[in-house]
Amino acid sequence: MVGRYDVIVLGAGAAGMMCAIRAGQRGRSVAVLDHAAAPGEKIRISGGGRCNFTNIHAGPKNFLSANPHFAKSALARFTPRDFLAMVERHGIAWHEKTLGQLFCDNSAKDIIRMLTDEMRAAGAQLLLRTETSGVEQIDSGYRISTSEGTFEAPSLVVATGGKSIPKMGASGFAYRIAEQFGLPLVETRPGLVPLTLDPQLLQRLAPLSGIAAPAEIRHGKTAFREALLFTHRGLSGPAILQISSYWREGEEITVAIEPDVDVFALLKKAKQANGRQSAQTALAELLPKRLAQHFVEAEGVSGNLADQSDKRLEQLAAAIQSWPVKPSGSEGYRTAEVTLGGIDTSCLDSRTMQVKAAPGLFFIGECVDVTGWLGGYNFQWAWASGHVAGEAA
Ligand code: FDA
């Protein structure tokens, strides 16, 4: 028996569920197929279990893509306010944490429940534990072969996400379908991922593992001011995750710790006020003790502040505030929050996410070459691209 629908959505993640809701609301018969045992598994673990479900400031400038203009249309047609209105309609309590990032007060499961309730209300069917083995184009649209039988629909929406966190079912399946249909791909890479350091540097920084500090991390013209975290593998924290999406193997980043403070001025002032204190003691007013000790030792500064020339203090400040670091790599898809690159947007209509050369075939969410910063932007892209595809499929 063949299951016939108006729209088949592959993937019950953020983008797929949103698309199914909108298509169902338009009166289309919709089935959402997923190989997982539960929908929205990434939503469940997102934002430390509280789901940073959108960013109130989300705009095209917060996304990386070979075509920075592509995301404009979908983002304008389904905004963070639109998603927030849905959250409020469902009585889900939320709060702004920082920098426009909106989180659930209670649990990310509230968002999954909201989406599955909306799907049910829109008449969309959810078919879990359904393994897709192949997709083919037929006269009436698309035929999907699965472990649970064959499905056919004039519209097929691919929302199977990227490659990040394979342990959670990420399969790279969308790229294989794209290849099958001869669509161009932008090379994929792990994004929003901790960076690793070579063993020598790692050994020197080992005592700092677990320390966090406010920092500005720069790569070329791009810079992020958020927390930096030293780990036993290298560098992490929001500032590093953000810059990791811009960094490439072999390149350098520049770390400025406590970027809002003029460390040289602080050291000079401390020297004037009390020349008998050590540089480490003066720095420990600003930095965690172990971090202060690390920089003082690394720069070979010994003795009292009064013994140090201004030049020497300037060098110490520079070590803290313009520290060049060459990461050896990243932790890869195992821990990356997103996949950079993906389906080349040149083959998609930005208003609908439909493949220009294959009517009825759509790609949405993370599998497309649109990747957001850390901070709720990636879910906003999933909602927006899902919504516009649901309007057209
Ligand atoms: P998503 O990956 O969500 O869904 C894809 C679905 O397709 C899955 O249900 C999967 O099982 C299914 N699937 C895959 N292959 C299949 C196949 N062959 N057949 C059938 N089904 C298949 N973003 C954000 O904005 N705020 C946040 O707080 C976080 N936090 C966060 C934490 C962690 C740990 C990670 C890994 C990621 C985040 N993100 C995030 C990123 C966010 O989770 C991501 O951008 C979206 O989930 C992407 O939504 P999609 O629907 O495109 O893919």
Side-chain angles (χ1 to χ4, degrees):
M1 226 185 59
V2 177
R4 288 200 169 80
Y5 292 86
D6 294 327
V7 183
I8 301 276
V9 180
L10 293 183
M17 288 197 276
M18 194 51 136
C19 175
I21 292 165
R22 190 64 203 117
Q25 286 169 344
R26 286 175 48 242
R28 312 281 278 152
S29 61
V30 184
V32 186
L33 316 184
D34 199 304
H35 61 184
E41 279 294 87
K42 276 203 184 152
I43 300 175
R44 186 175 58 78
I45 60 158
S46 67
R50 292 235 164 92
C51 185
N52 178 193
F53 56 80
T54 192
N55 191 300
I56 211 69
H57 307 306
K61 65 178 189 314
N62 308 114
F63 293 84
L64 292 87
S65 172
N67 176 2
H69 301 292
F70 180 83
K72 280 183 184 166
S73 176
L75 291 172
R77 288 169 55 213
F78 190 82
T79 67
R81 300 250 166 232
D82 292 327
F83 190 77
L84 191 54
M86 190 190 276
V87 167
E88 295 201 316
R89 241 184 6 255
H90 285 257
I92 298 173
W94 59 273
H95 62 279
E96 179 179 342
K97 198 168 172 188
T98 173
L99 305 169
Q101 301 168 6
L102 306 192
F103 284 76
C104 296
D105 282 1
N106 300 314
S107 165
K109 288 183 194 156
D110 291 344
I111 298 292
I112 302 174
R113 200 172 309 119
M114 172 185 87
L115 295 169
T116 50
D117 284 353
E118 287 273 340
M119 278 206 293
R120 210 169 301 117
Q125 283 189 34
L126 177 60
L127 302 166
L128 298 168
R129 295 191 177 91
T130 303
E131 201 74 47
T132 304
S133 51
V135 168
E136 61 180 311
Q137 200 164 15
I138 54 173
D139 286 349
S140 60
Y142 297 87
R143 176 177 295 144
I144 299 99
S145 311
T146 79
S147 55
E148 306 306 305
T150 303
F151 295 84
E152 288 179 8
S155 292
L156 171 64
V157 183
V158 183
T160 50
K163 296 181 182 173
S164 32
I165 326 253
K167 222 170 61 187
M168 293 196 67
S171 62
F173 185 70
Y175 314 124
R176 288 209 294 281
I177 300 187
E179 270 168 13
Q180 181 190 334
F181 283 87
L183 306 178
L185 290 172
V186 174
E187 193 188 350
T188 52
R189 288 187 300 121
L192 300 180
V193 64
L195 298 176
T196 53
L197 300 172
D198 68 54
Q200 266 178 337
L201 183 55
L202 202 56
Q203 199 180 13
R204 275 192 282 139
L205 299 182
L208 305 182
S209 179
I211 290 178
E216 181 184 273
I217 316 287
R218 180 169 288 281
H219 174 269
K221 286 187 183 147
T222 310
F224 290 94
R225 275 188 184 207
E226 286 183 67
L228 161 74
L229 175 69
F230 293 87
T231 73
H232 61 285
R233 287 198 205 91
L235 300 175
S236 188
I240 289 291
L241 299 190
Q242 298 280 31
I243 215 72
S244 73
S245 295
Y246 292 83
W247 174 83
R248 298 282 195 283
E249 271 73 12
E251 293 177 348
E252 212 170 74
I253 56 172
T254 309
V255 177
I257 294 173
E258 289 287 357
D260 295 327
V261 178
D262 182 339
V263 173
F264 176 49
L266 178 139
L267 287 169
K268 267 201 344 185
K269 212 165 141 208
K271 178 175 158 183
Q272 277 157 12
N274 178 5
R276 280 189 305 182
Q277 67 180 318
S278 69
Q280 189 177 321
T281 307
L283 278 179
E285 296 286 312
L286 177 70
L287 305 178
K289 220 169 136 190
R290 271 185 287 156
L291 200 52
Q293 184 183 354
H294 166 80
F295 282 112
V296 167
E297 285 175 6
E299 288 306 301
V301 177
S302 56
N304 295 337
L305 274 178
D307 302 332
Q308 316 301 330
S309 65
D310 280 1
K311 184 137 186 276
R312 198 86 186 87
L313 295 181
E314 209 172 353
Q315 281 167 349
L316 177 58
I320 297 165
Q321 298 205 295
S322 57
W323 175 29
V325 180
K326 202 176 199 179
S328 59
S330 86
E331 290 192 10
Y333 290 118
R334 191 179 58 80
T335 59
E337 282 202 11
V338 286
T339 304
L340 289 152
I343 319 297
D344 190 327
T345 58
S346 66
C347 69
L348 303 176
D349 179 337
S350 64
R351 287 163 310 154
T352 60
M353 308 301 292
Q354 185 164 208
V355 176
K356 290 175 192 162
L361 180 61
F362 299 74
F363 289 87
I364 57 174
E366 191 177 326
C367 65
V368 176
D369 172 34
V370 173
T371 307
W373 292 354
L374 184 79
Y377 302 101
N378 284 296
F379 278 137
Q380 188 54 37
W381 170 245
W383 316 134
S385 60
H387 177 87
V388 299
E391 295 255 277

